[in-house]
Structure formats: C-alpha cells, structure tokens
Amino acid sequence: MAIDIDKKIPPDVLVLISEEAARYYKMIPLNLSGNVLDVGLVNPGDVRAQEALSFLTSRNGLAARVFKISEEDWLVLIKQYAGIKEEVGEALEGLRKELAEEKLLLPEIPKSKKEEAAPIIRMMETILKHGIESKASDIHIEPTMKKLRVRFRLDGTLQTVVVLPVEIAPAIVARVKILSNLQIDETRRPQDGRFTTKLGEKEVDFRVAILPTARGEKAALRILDPTIGLRTLPELGIIGRNLEVVERGIKKPFGMVLMTGPTGSGKSTTIYGILQILNTELVNIVSLEDPVEYYVDGVNQSQIRPELGYTFASGLRQILRQDPNIIVVGEMRDSETAGLAVQSALTGHLVLSTLHTNDAIGVIPRLIDMGVEPFLLPSALNVALAQRLVKRLCPDCKKETEPSEPVKKIILEAINSMPEINRPKIKSDKFQIYKPQGCPKCGNKGTKGRIAVFEILEVTPQIEEIIISGPTESKILAEAKRQGMVTMFQDGILKVLDGIIGFEELTQVVSVNAEESK
C-alpha cells in the first residue's frame, strides 16, 4: 500500500486510535473499509504494538490490516490529530493561564463581552458546535485520573473526539451547570437540567445529567436537534403494509398504540412521528414525559417529578381532567399506570405509550402480567409496534455485491416465510445486496445515520378471539402472520434488499436465531 502523506485522514478514522496510543506505539490509522481498519506501523514486528492494536480494534468490532511506514511519514501523518483540537487549542492555552491564577474554578455567568470571550466558554461552545454538526446523539464529558475525555455518540457508538487536561474538569462542568441553571456548588448529588443553544438559524435543546464520580463530576448531554429527531413515519422506516396498519390504528377515536423495544431503540422518536400526524387544531393532546425530549407546538407536554409524587400514574389521573382527546404516557412502568392507560383507552381517548418487551407479540402477555384483565385488551389495544435501530448504508459509497451462500440461504428462508402480499419478487438463484465501503461523505465508515426495523401487530377480530379464549404468543404469532404481519427480521431483510441497510448491520441488531425460534 502506497502511503500518501498529503492525504487527509478522516477524523472518524483518527479517533479509532487515540493520539496517545498512536504516539507511544508509533502507529497511525489510515483508512476504514467496512470493518477493516488499515493501520501504518513504523515497526510492525513490535509485539507490544501488535497487542495494543489488536485490543483497540477488537474493542470497536474491527479487524486490523497492518502496513509498514517510515518514521518520516509517520511524523508527518501524526500531525493530523487536529480536528476539534485546533479549535480548542487557543482557548485551552488561555484557560491554562486563567487556571493558574485560580480564576476559573467556579466561573460566573458572563456579564460583559470580555467575559463572553473567556476560554472556557469558547471551548464549551466549540464542543457543542461539533456535537451538533457531527449529528451526535450524546456528548459525554468524563474526568479520569490523568485526563478529561470528551466523547460523542455517533450512530449508537461512542467515539473519543478530544482529550483535555484533567485540571479543567471542574471549570467545564461548572460551565455546563451554568448553562443548565443548576447549582454550581453542589458536587455531591446528581443533577438534571436543560438548556437551548443556537447554531445558525437552528435552535437545539440539550438535556443535561450531572453525576458525581470518584474522579469528579461527569456530564452527559443529550442533543435534541428537532431537524433530526422530528421525522415522518416513512423516514423512520415505517413503510408499505406497516404504514397502513399504523395509520389505521391512530385514526381510531380511542384505543392504545404501544411502542416496545429496549432503551435507545427510538420508541420516543416514533411517538413524536405519530404526533406530527395527529397534532391538529381539532384535538387536545396532553403528554406525560420523563423527560420532555422535543418541544412540539400545539402539544401540552408535562414533565413528571417522582420526587414530588408526580408520577405517570398520578399525572394520568390529573390530565384526564384536562379534557384530552389524545394522551401520551412516556412509559408504562407499573401496574397502576397500565390499568389507568387501559381505562383511558376504553373511555374515548387515544393513548400512545411505550413498554419493554422483546417483540410486538409480547405486548399482550406483558399487559396481562401487569394486571390488565384479558377481556379488556381487545377493545383497548389497537396496534403494538416493536423496533430496533440499524445503521444505514452510506448512499454515496455502498457497493452492490452477490451474497455468500450461507447469507443467501438465510435471506431466501426469510423471504419464503413472508406473507405473499409482502414477498419481494426476486429470482431465487441470483440476487444482489449491498455492503458498506467508506468514503469522505460518511467519514469512511460506510454507514450514515440509522433507520428502524419494525414488527407491527394489529389487533383484528381474529386476534381478539385468541386473547379472550386464552392468549399464547405462538397462537397470536401464527394468526398475525396469516394476516400478513412482517416480523422484525423480515422487515430488515426487505430493507437489505432495497439497499438501505447491510446484512451484517441487521444481524448485529436482530438475531437470526431469535427469528428462527419464531
């Protein structure tokens, strides 16, 4: 491999190996193709460097391909560890000087233009700006023994973007507290807050959580960018028959529409997508959330406060007095909330909420386990949706390829088990799928953003009979498939064949074995 020392290494590739490790072992990440990371080593025979590289790449689920480079080339390439560091460099130098004078241990709210230009403020603005521009979902500011680490969560994966001196950690966290209107002098207890910043013409909300740790306070900032978080249902991945089922369910004047899936699977985002359809002048929408993520004009959003006795259950009793047409309950956490939500659905309200189960079929047994009487469910439940998030293939560099025989077999089995109405028309002997490659537009990752795969259960008269006569997951699944339900894995396979996601990306999120067990 010929090394072009003038070629810029994408920042997303550089952060896969920290600058400290790169300098200590005299290595440099060069390129990422799929899950193969090309790494230049000055001394490929160095056993310690090989072991360190193996650890660093396996931690990210990557394989390393090693190339020998000269020390002269390495010295040139190592200078590319810049990116965000270039922008904070000047601010960092000024900050060090002020720290030496003990002026920034507890920064105050800026009152003049001179104070607004203070290094700590400029540094925090830089971190926030990069987080928004890189479309990160979270920013983690974490003090360790020797450094302050800043990490972004990009497409579900945490990546270190900059390492700062640990002595500035109190000042950085204090700045976050000031922005969030939290107590600066309280360092022993967790604190939660929120603030809004403006980037260009766009206003972005940040949800803040401060946690005391053994090394100091850690700050986690959730980026709530309305241009990313508020999407239509097709943009989220609900298409075809699934979209028709959801639209039928939410057009009914009453009943429940429940989202299910693990934490971070996009359930709240799907609720906000549904609210964009339902939010009109003709209806009164009231929500109970923990916390409120995106502010939606026209929706009366309320933040629960369990420490004050304001829970989902007590809040649900209160909002029923607000004459709502549509009620959003952030999560059904207990039997009382579930029972009240069912009663609300039966008394003329459309209820949107979330639940924790593995799939859509499991919603019905879960509600029964939570104390809901089975005879109430057929009238109360309209639709249950289960979802997972899968990385999207970069549309600019994805490569068409013929699947291997084992992959082809799995795909064909999924297609043949689909209801005929949803079955794609492909030749069984030969078809193409797409694989990630990597290009400058996706930071050489091969993927860009995420999309959800869904399993959507519609409660039909036949499903109602099964619920009343004694529901089991196997009976419900058999009837749902007979009616045309597509399982989560099958929905993923349809998106694989459409070139939206890769097969490997799908199997990392939805187990093939779990699908076969159905």
Side-chain angles (χ1 to χ4, degrees), residues 439-512:
C439 68
K441 290 186 178 180
C442 63
N444 280 327
K445 294 183 296 182
T447 57
K448 195 173 182 181
R450 291 186 290 176
I451 192 170
V453 291
F454 289 90
E455 177 177 291
I456 299 180
L457 172 68
E458 181 178 26
V459 178
T460 62
Q462 292 80 7
I463 298 288
E464 290 180 9
E465 290 179 11
I466 293 173
I467 295 173
I468 293 170
S469 63
T472 64
E473 290 195 25
S474 58
K475 287 182 182 178
I476 298 169
L477 178 63
E479 178 57 31
K481 282 187 171 183
R482 189 191 69 78
Q483 294 178 16
M485 187 191 82
V486 175
T487 66
M488 202 181 303
F489 186 75
Q490 290 170 341
D491 185 50
I493 290 298
L494 293 174
K495 291 180 170 77
V496 167
L497 295 173
D498 286 339
I500 299 171
I501 61 177
F503 181 80
E504 290 77 11
E505 283 69 33
L506 173 64
T507 55
Q508 286 173 10
V509 175
V510 184
S511 169
V512 178

Side-chain angles (χ1 to χ4, degrees), residues 186-243:
E186 176 56 76
T187 60
R188 298 167 300 172
R189 293 186 304 166
Q191 296 188 70
D192 295 326
R194 191 181 188 118
F195 68 91
T196 301
T197 190
K198 198 167 185 180
L199 183 66
E201 296 300 314
K202 179 170 63 175
E203 285 194 349
V204 179
D205 288 333
F206 287 83
R207 195 177 77 214
V208 176
I210 307 292
L211 179 72
T213 72
R215 301 297 177 188
E217 289 182 291
K218 174 187 183 299
L221 290 77
R222 169 64 57 87
I223 302 175
L224 303 171
D225 186 344
T227 61
I228 295 175
L230 298 178
R231 299 179 181 177
T232 65
L233 297 185
E235 287 173 340
L236 295 173
I238 303 179
I239 54 178
R241 178 189 178 274
N242 282 347
L243 183 60

Side-chain angles (χ1 to χ4, degrees), residues 14 114-115 139 142 159 162 184 192 225 308 330 358 394 397 449 460 472 512:
L14 277 176
K114 183 177 179 181
E115 287 175 313
I139 299 173
E142 305 164 316
Q159 297 184 13
V162 67
I184 299 174
D192 295 326
D225 186 344
L308 302 177
N358 289 327
C394 173
C397 65
T460 62
T472 64
V512 178

Side-chain angles (χ1 to χ4, degrees), residues 109 176-183 191-195:
I109 298 175
V176 174
K177 288 180 178 180
I178 288 171
L179 291 168
S180 312
N181 198 27
L182 301 177
Q183 292 179 280
Q191 296 188 70
D192 295 326
R194 191 181 188 118
F195 68 91

